[in-house]
Amino acid sequence: MRNNKRTVLVLGATGLVGSHLVSELSKAPDIECIKLLTRRHLGLEHPIVQEHIVDFESLPKDGDLFICDDVFIAFGTTIAVAGNQSRFKRIDLEIPLEVATKASAHGATHCFLVSSVGADPNSRIFYNKTKGELEKAIAALDFASFYIFRPSILLGNRDETRLSEAIGIRFGRFLRWIKPDLLGQYSGMPADLLARSMVAASSSPLPGKSILHFREISNLNQSHE
């Protein structure tokens, strides 16, 4: 457990993982302030949660907004929702990198990123390539600790779920019922478990870059229960 009280910045609080992340962070005894960057008011009533409504196409220049100890990034979309590769890259790479860069410049020392299994800047698959490029770019920033979480399909209740995702989620839940890690790093990952593991990692972060897949994420959560 870290000795001092922490201020954390969360990007992606409205998403499946991000919503669980805010809930878990609000329970952590060593966190005194949770700053949320969001497009819309979330109506969260908690004494340590601060909502900051921003335009992600033109992030505020106010440095105070980005002052934090830790930055959590659970921000992204799919190419289908984004509409094209250019827009997807803007959402999944450029905006998260800009937030991480600003947070690092204003004193953040730890970064926790939700990436994806298969992320690789040299991949021929555009989605994996973009995720890998973000990992590489953030790794070049001056963070004492950088945790990369690489889940496969995320399991949980979404506000909007496309048919292909719904089928994948049901199949993932079925396989998890048989055996949670049946598919190794490609096993379905419950979003709430991922969020708990991210918060657990932040309580005693290791120096350098750490890459976690399904089993490492699950073990991290279990070791802090």
Side-chain angles (χ1 to χ4, degrees), residues 85-163:
Q85 291 186 345
S86 177
R87 184 60 187 160
F88 174 79
K89 189 170 184 177
R90 173 65 184 155
I91 296 171
D92 272 57
L93 193 162
E94 295 173 2
I95 293 174
L97 179 57
E98 187 175 353
V99 170
T101 301
K102 287 179 179 292
S104 177
H106 288 87
T109 52
H110 307 283
C111 182
F112 304 88
L113 171 69
V114 178
S115 184
S116 174
V117 65
D120 181 351
N122 299 312
S123 176
R124 294 183 179 181
I125 301 173
F126 183 78
Y127 181 91
N128 292 348
K129 177 179 175 65
T130 302
K131 293 293 187 180
E133 288 175 343
L134 176 59
E135 292 181 2
K136 183 178 180 180
I138 294 180
L141 299 176
D142 192 26
F143 287 112
S145 298
F146 178 32
Y147 274 74
I148 299 169
F149 296 81
R150 290 182 179 172
S152 182
I153 188 168
L154 292 168
L155 307 178
N157 297 320
R158 302 173 184 267
D159 291 336
E160 295 181 0
T161 304
R162 291 165 295 281
L163 178 60

Side-chain angles (χ1 to χ4, degrees), residues 1-3 6 30 70 112 198-205 224:
M1 182 69 69
R2 288 149 73 176
N3 295 326
R6 296 183 279 148
D30 61 335
D70 304 345
F112 304 88
M198 293 177 74
V199 176
S202 75
S203 67
S204 301
H224 283 75

Side-chain angles (χ1 to χ4, degrees), residues 37-49:
L37 298 185
T38 177
R39 291 188 181 89
R40 56 184 172 81
H41 182 58
L42 304 180
L44 299 178
E45 297 183 2
H46 194 284
I48 67 171
V49 175

